[in-house]
Amino acid sequence: QSVLTQPPSVSGAPGQRVTISCTGSSSNIGAGYDVHWYQQLPGTAPKLLIYGNSNRPSGVPDRFSGSKSGTSASLAITGLQADDEADYYCQSYDSSLSGKVFGTGTKVTVL
Amino acid sequence: QVQLQQSGPGLVKPSQTLSLTCAISGDSVSSTSAAWNWIRQSPSRGLEWLGRTYYRSKWYNDYAVSVRSRISINPDTSKNQFSLQLNSVAPEDTAVYYCAREYLHAFDMWGQGTMVTVSS
């Protein structure tokens, strides 16, 4: 169902850097629509982490960064911490569907 | 500080109508810089955007293609809230439903979520 594809899981040791990819197409990310990223802790609502491809809302640590290129986007987490264990989702707009779309989600595990 | 408080039943019978309300504090449903959305999440479908309502000199609605024939999202300016109605529900509509504020095209504030089960 999701038109934005993410790896199911990524893992890293505390202090390491991990990246999560979000692959779309010419009708969403490749068409120039912004990508946003959310963090979802177990049993809670998603929380906005990155908006407009690379902007952090107030209160989000600068360990989290976003980028976009072509039909893909990426979220990087540096200095990985135990409380970064969560599910992460990308989100954009798709012109073929005329609606907002989410990625398949990635579970981050801190080893 | 903006807060969204959801209310509504957690159990709906097949073929009936799912109705949820999202009460807004700290912002206005009539804001001309925000939009008010409904999103659901299930293991089988992941996060799925359902639709939104917003005010830009007049009221507008956008709905996802997947539910367009069954959905209605309406503002209530007297109570500063907005609602979701999803008709003719089936078991595959079972999900956690969230309301969310959209600002600069991102969902920056979310309700607490409501688990809705469709079952007889």
Side-chain angles (χ1 to χ4, degrees):
Chain A
Q1 174 98 15
S2 298
V3 300
L4 302 179
T5 301
Q6 301 177 230
S9 64
V10 299
S11 61
Q16 285 192 329
R17 178 180 187 270
V18 297
T19 61
I20 300 170
S21 61
C22 174
T23 303
S25 67
S26 59
S27 62
N28 41 69
I29 299 174
Y33 295 107
D34 282 345
V35 178
H36 318 292
W37 290 90
Y38 303 87
Q39 177 193 60
Q40 186 175 31
L41 299 170
T44 68
K47 168 193 169 186
L48 181 64
L49 207 57
I50 297 287
Y51 68 95
N53 305 315
S54 59
N55 302 291
R56 285 185 307 278
S58 174
V60 173
D62 60 5
R63 302 186 296 104
F64 295 92
S65 62
S67 63
K68 173 186 154 183
S69 178
T71 59
S72 295
S74 291
L75 173 72
I77 309 174
T78 58
L80 198 61
Q81 299 179 359
D83 57 5
D84 295 333
E85 278 208 343
D87 294 324
Y88 293 81
Y89 296 89
C90 58
Q91 179 252 313
S92 186
Y93 177 87
D94 190 279
S95 58
S96 296
L97 297 173
S98 297
K100 299 173 185 300
V101 290
F102 286 91
T104 49
T106 299
K107 181 174 181 58
V108 170
T109 300
V110 181
L111 301 173
Chain B
Q1 179 175 341
V2 177
Q3 291 190 328
L4 303 178
Q5 182 66 40
Q6 299 178 218
S7 60
L11 180 63
V12 183
K13 289 182 167 53
S15 79
Q16 295 194 342
T17 297
L18 182 160
S19 296
L20 296 173
T21 299
C22 183
I24 304 163
S25 58
D27 200 349
S28 170
V29 71
S30 302
S31 167
T32 55
S33 56
W36 304 96
N37 293 254
W38 286 97
I39 295 159
R40 67 183 177 183
Q41 185 174 30
S42 65
S44 59
R45 302 170 75 99
L47 281 165
E48 180 183 14
W49 175 77
L50 298 176
R52 64 179 181 173
T53 188
Y54 58 100
Y55 184 76
R56 303 288 187 269
S57 301
K58 69 175 187 177
W59 289 101
Y60 293 88
N61 289 101
D62 296 314
Y63 299 129
V65 170
S66 60
V67 294
R68 190 163 291 164
S69 63
R70 304 191 287 131
I71 191 173
S72 179
I73 296 176
N74 295 296
D76 183 341
T77 57
S78 65
K79 295 181 179 178
N80 200 31
Q81 63 187 29
F82 63 108
S83 63
L84 166 69
Q85 285 198 311
L86 188 64
N87 303 322
S88 304
V89 297
E92 50 265 35
D93 292 311
T94 294
V96 177
Y97 286 75
Y98 294 101
C99 60
R101 184 180 77 167
E102 177 190 345
Y103 186 71
L104 298 178
H105 305 293
F107 304 118
D108 68 332
M109 298 300 303
W110 295 66
Q112 80 274 24
T114 302
M115 178 67 215
V116 179
T117 301
V118 178
S119 174
S120 54

